[in-house]
Amino acid sequence: MKTYWNEDEIRTVVPKGYTNDASGLNLTKVDSIIDVPHSKEAIEEQLKELLAFSKMKQIPLSIAGAKHSMGGHTMYPDGIVVNMRPYNHMKLDGDVLTVGSGALWEEVINYLDKYKKSVAIMQAFSSFSVGGSMSVNGHGWQKNAPPMSSSVLSFTLMKADGEIVTCSRTENKELFSLVIGGYGLFGIILDVKLKVVDNENLNFNRFKFESTKYLSYFRRYARDDEKAKLVFGRLNISEKDFLEYATLNVFTSSKTPLSDAQKPEHSQKSNEIKRIIFRSTVNSEYGKRLRWDLETELSKFSSDENFSRNEVLNDNVALIENKDSTSTDILQEYFIPERNFNEYIQALKKDLRNTQIDLLNITIRDVYQDHDSYMNYARENVFGFVFLFNQKKNPEDEEAMKKLTQKLVQTAIRMEGTYYLPYRLHVEKEAMRKAYPQSDAFFQLKLKYDPDQIFKNKFYDYYK
């Protein structure tokens, strides 16, 4: 109740002529925001004209979808923002979905559900766009799987000169690799062909144990269990047992036919209760313990209940929405090889102690080696540690967040790992190139395909 009453629910309004992203810390004045049309013929005509205008007037273009990145990846000062969200058409042909890059995963799931199909690989929330997920090469809870690039069969791309080309593992291979995980710097993704899988009923089980035993539990109940389909872990972040305990959350194939599933009700009221419980952890040791206890001790009430794959995947980011206008939630992610898993957790205990930035969550997901993306973060099989922090929107917290990020990046590099690029631009250039030694070649190839630098964003401007 204290959490509920303290939320001001004042939504920050982006002034006309400006744009922002999920961080709420990137308010940027732009030339204009252009919404693309829904139809294929209209979008191609509009974008070709826009590219010609951009080149003539020397006004850069930035590509935006759901705008969940946090480092200015979808904007450039005084540039044009191309809003791809309206381009969300879909057509299913067997196990291949052709989809407009502006579609949200939520829209994709709802469409596929009618055909008893499901998304093969996507991020943890369904609020992101297909094109955005490709541009960051997202990954999710899918067990023993590479990032989402592995589910992309091909896509059409409008290049800087207005030409539309098909990119795949056999056609325009270099562009295929550069665009996936390329943050909108090589062209505009139009139509995407994705592999899809069957929707199915899943059973849920949660295991609680000492964090040093995570790998053994993961191997037994996830990696080596063919029935396990969706898997994620979570670390205890309360001060009492800081990073000492973990949970493994496993969704396994059920014997119950999909049509006979007993679908649980997820009312707006119950979702709001879940959100409040999560938000109660902000700057509250009691709240952090309460959430951990509710998740671990009461999980038996949902064990063995049937959930369809689509129900599990179709979670909106609103479930953790921050309704305090004075603060913002910041995501980070680090990818660590299995051989350094336990050592990394021990290092985190030192890095995360005595910081003024409030840690809300650490989720663990396994990610297989990525053979597709040029700027690949999973250069071998790794575990992704996803951090969610809460910081105040003031210079003091921003500086503290920057220092903490730099410390966490150095720890990841020391553990032979990498960090994820869609977030705040707090990592120094030297450290970025240490984590991504291919970055200089990446930026040179950017100029090969876009010599006039029509496609720009803050990420590119900082690191090029």
Side-chain angles (χ1 to χ4, degrees):
M1 290 303 297
K2 178 183 175 184
T3 300
Y4 179 78
W5 287 114
N6 284 342
E7 291 184 326
D8 57 33
E9 295 200 48
I10 299 173
R11 296 185 179 273
T12 304
V13 178
V14 178
K16 188 175 181 179
Y18 289 78
T19 190
N20 211 330
D21 58 27
S23 71
L25 300 172
N26 270 313
L27 187 65
T28 300
K29 185 179 182 302
V30 294
D31 175 89
S32 55
I33 300 173
I34 305 295
D35 296 335
V36 301
H38 177 76
S39 77
K40 183 175 181 178
E41 295 77 13
I43 193 174
E44 290 179 2
E45 181 180 354
Q46 181 205 54
L47 291 179
K48 285 179 180 178
E49 292 177 357
L50 189 57
L51 286 167
F53 177 83
S54 170
K55 184 175 181 179
M56 180 178 67
K57 296 291 186 180
Q58 295 186 323
I59 303 176
L61 302 181
S62 299
I63 317 302
K67 296 189 290 188
H68 278 284
S69 57
M70 295 186 171
H73 301 72
T74 59
M75 63 195 70
Y76 190 80
D78 297 315
I80 297 171
V81 177
V82 182
N83 174 28
M84 295 296 293
R85 278 285 296 113
Y87 194 59
N88 62 354
H89 68 87
M90 280 169 264
K91 183 180 179 182
L92 183 65
D93 184 9
D95 288 333
V96 178
L97 175 72
T98 302
V99 57
S101 61
L104 300 182
W105 290 110
E106 178 181 11
E107 295 168 338
V108 173
I109 291 169
N110 291 336
Y111 175 82
L112 291 176
D113 199 64
K114 297 181 293 185
Y115 301 95
K116 296 187 178 181
K117 295 293 182 181
S118 184
V119 176
I121 302 175
M122 58 170 275
Q123 289 152 288
F125 287 112
S126 58
S127 316
F128 310 128
S129 69
V130 172
S133 292
M134 287 176 60
S135 294
V136 303
N137 198 17
H139 69 92
W141 304 351
Q142 294 74 27
K143 184 202 73 169
N144 299 352
M148 75 154 294
S149 57
S150 60
S151 69
V152 177
L153 298 173
S154 67
F155 57 87
T156 54
L157 181 80
M158 183 173 288
K159 299 193 301 179
D161 59 6
E163 181 188 6
I164 297 175
V165 295
T166 298
C167 302
S168 69
R169 291 171 184 83
T170 58
E171 191 174 359
N172 293 301
K173 292 187 292 184
E174 188 172 68
L175 265 178
F176 180 85
S177 175
L178 290 164
V179 171
I180 296 178
Y183 298 91
L185 295 174
F186 292 86
I188 305 173
I189 302 170
L190 297 175
D191 303 299
V192 185
K193 289 188 182 297
L194 296 171
K195 289 186 291 188
V196 299
V197 297
D198 291 336
N199 192 16
E200 62 177 323
N201 276 334
L202 303 172
N203 290 146
F204 173 71
N205 279 288
R206 176 180 282 132
F207 306 91
K208 177 186 173 183
F209 41 82
E210 294 176 3
S211 58
T212 53
K213 298 178 181 177
Y214 189 91
L215 291 176
S216 61
Y217 272 80
F218 176 79
R219 293 180 191 123
R220 179 177 178 182
Y221 294 105
R223 179 183 292 166
D224 297 338
D225 186 351
E226 292 184 359
K227 293 189 297 181
K229 301 297 181 180
L230 305 174
V231 179
F232 69 93
R234 184 162 284 141
L235 289 170
N236 186 348
I237 59 166
S238 68
E239 290 181 11
K240 179 184 176 183
D241 295 306
F242 189 64
L243 307 189
E244 292 293 334
Y245 290 93
T247 61
L248 184 70
N249 305 271
V250 184
F251 294 86
T252 57
S253 293
S254 166
K255 295 179 181 179
T256 308
L258 188 65
S259 57
D260 298 333
Q262 191 70 34
K263 292 182 181 292
E265 294 183 6
H266 299 290
S267 66
Q268 187 173 352
K269 184 178 180 180
S270 67
N271 284 341
E272 179 62 7
I273 291 172
K274 292 176 185 176
R275 190 194 69 80
I276 289 291
I277 290 172
F278 182 84
R279 299 312 312 179
S280 75
T281 66
V282 177
N283 293 310
S284 171
E285 170 65 7
Y286 174 80
K288 288 176 173 63
R289 293 190 193 184
L290 173 66
R291 180 189 171 212
W292 179 259
D293 289 343
L294 287 173
E295 285 189 352
T296 57
E297 302 304 325
L298 298 183
S299 64
K300 60 185 178 182
F301 294 112
S302 59
S303 291
D304 297 320
E305 186 174 12
N306 279 311
F307 299 82
S308 78
R309 180 187 174 95
N310 284 343
E311 284 179 286
V312 177
L313 294 178
N314 204 4
D315 263 350
N316 195 288
V317 74
L319 284 170
I320 60 171
E321 182 183 4
N322 181 4
K323 294 185 179 181
D324 171 18
S325 63
T326 67
S327 71
T328 184
D329 294 344
I330 299 297
L331 275 168
Q332 294 184 11
E333 185 166 7
Y334 301 90
F335 303 95
I336 307 300
E338 183 173 324
R339 60 184 172 276
N340 295 325
F341 185 96
N342 287 323
E343 185 183 355
Y344 179 65
I345 291 179
Q346 294 307 310
L348 288 180
K349 291 178 182 178
K350 297 178 182 178
D351 288 347
L352 296 172
R353 287 287 192 187
N354 305 317
T355 174
Q356 72 185 68
I357 301 300
D358 191 27
L359 174 65
L360 302 185
N361 195 59
I362 301 179
T363 301
I364 306 173
R365 306 167 194 166
D366 74 300
V367 188
Y368 269 22
Q369 185 177 4
D370 171 18
H371 296 284
D372 293 312
S373 175
Y374 194 93
M375 290 289 277
N376 56 344
Y377 49 81
R379 293 189 280 275
E380 59 181 298
N381 294 353
V382 292
F383 284 90
F385 288 75
V386 185
F387 297 73
L388 184 65
F389 298 99
N390 180 264
Q391 72 168 80
K392 291 294 183 181
K393 295 177 179 177
N394 59 44
E396 294 77 22
D397 268 27
E398 180 68 356
E399 183 61 26
M401 186 80 255
K402 183 176 181 178
K403 289 180 179 178
L404 177 59
T405 301
Q406 292 173 351
K407 182 190 295 185
L408 290 170
V409 167
Q410 290 299 334
T411 297
I413 292 172
R414 193 170 71 250
M415 298 291 162
E416 303 175 278
T418 56
Y419 74 98
Y420 207 11
L421 294 171
Y423 301 127
R424 303 284 288 143
L425 305 181
H426 286 160
V427 183
E428 295 174 344
K429 296 177 184 179
E430 183 180 351
M432 184 269 199
R433 280 162 167 75
K434 204 166 186 178
Y436 289 88
Q438 70 273 49
S439 57
D440 283 334
F442 173 81
F443 290 125
Q444 288 172 7
L445 288 166
K446 153 72 174 172
L447 296 177
K448 170 185 172 181
Y449 288 101
D450 182 16
D452 297 313
Q453 299 182 81
I454 286 175
F455 300 111
K456 281 187 177 182
N457 54 34
K458 289 185 175 181
F459 166 80
Y460 173 67
D461 207 40
Y462 184 74
Y463 286 114
K464 64 181 179 180

